[in-house]
Amino acid sequence: MRTTQHGRAVGSVLGNPQPDPTTLLGTIRRAHVLLQFGDLETQFGIQTEPLAVFEWQRGSSCILRTFSHEVDAERYLLILGRPGIVPEPWDDRHVRYTWPDGVELDDAMLNVKWQAEDGAHEMTSSSLRERTNLCLAAWARDVSIEELLARAARN
């Protein structure tokens, strides 16, 4: 089955067992799912059509965030599973998160955009509860997947 570029490494560090760390033990991965982790009750993963991170709970599924680039979905899933791998970007008063320079935020739509060498990147969500993870993913946008995987393995 198809997975993301770093799917096996991401699945391993998030606790999925071998021989296929892109799939939960005891489950059958649906064709449009590239990577999943969690347990039989609650699962998170990356899907195609649209490229998104989803949450599946007891038979119902919802999209948490959509992405323009697969690597951003991998970063987001790592942060969702291991939030301690990105330092929390509090403001001076420790009241709320700050957003990195060079990131455009549409706060009403929870839509984040930035430019990189490989083009325009975009992450979109309709869930206010995802605001923290969105901010952490924006701060980690220039951190390589390999570095995030190493941080996650140490936690």
Side-chain angles (χ1 to χ4, degrees):
M1 280 195 125
R2 184 173 174 268
T3 189
T4 63
Q5 181 179 350
H6 304 96
R8 295 183 64 77
V10 172
S12 288
V13 85
L14 292 177
N16 286 351
Q18 297 292 337
D20 181 9
T22 65
T23 303
L24 291 173
L25 191 61
T27 64
I28 297 172
R29 185 159 46 109
R30 295 178 302 274
H32 71 286
V33 173
L34 301 174
L35 169 64
Q36 63 191 39
F37 83 99
D39 57 40
L40 295 178
E41 293 281 324
T42 304
Q43 299 170 20
F44 297 93
I46 299 173
Q47 70 175 40
T48 60
E49 303 168 24
L51 179 59
V53 168
F54 68 88
E55 178 181 17
W56 181 90
Q57 269 190 354
R58 298 181 186 174
S60 67
S61 181
C62 71
I63 291 176
L64 299 178
R65 177 156 328 284
T66 59
F67 299 87
S68 60
H69 290 70
E70 188 177 275
V71 69
D72 296 328
E74 290 177 322
R75 277 189 192 93
Y76 185 85
L77 197 64
L78 275 169
I79 290 167
L80 183 66
R82 301 286 187 271
I85 64 175
V86 178
E88 295 185 26
W90 291 103
D91 64 7
D92 292 336
R93 296 177 310 195
H94 209 69
V95 174
R96 63 184 204 144
Y97 284 144
T98 60
W99 293 88
D101 293 336
V103 170
E104 296 175 36
L105 170 68
D106 176 352
D107 218 6
M109 299 297 294
L110 287 179
N111 191 16
V112 177
K113 297 178 183 181
W114 69 89
Q115 290 292 325
E117 289 180 8
D118 60 346
H121 290 243
E122 185 172 359
M123 299 186 293
T124 304
S125 178
S126 59
S127 174
L128 286 174
R129 70 184 178 118
E130 291 301 309
R131 183 180 173 82
T132 300
N133 291 332
L134 173 65
C135 185
L136 294 175
W139 277 101
R141 71 191 185 283
D142 295 327
V143 179
S144 72
I145 289 293
E146 292 78 13
E147 173 61 23
L148 291 175
L149 286 165
R151 291 178 190 177
R154 288 191 297 265
N155 284 345

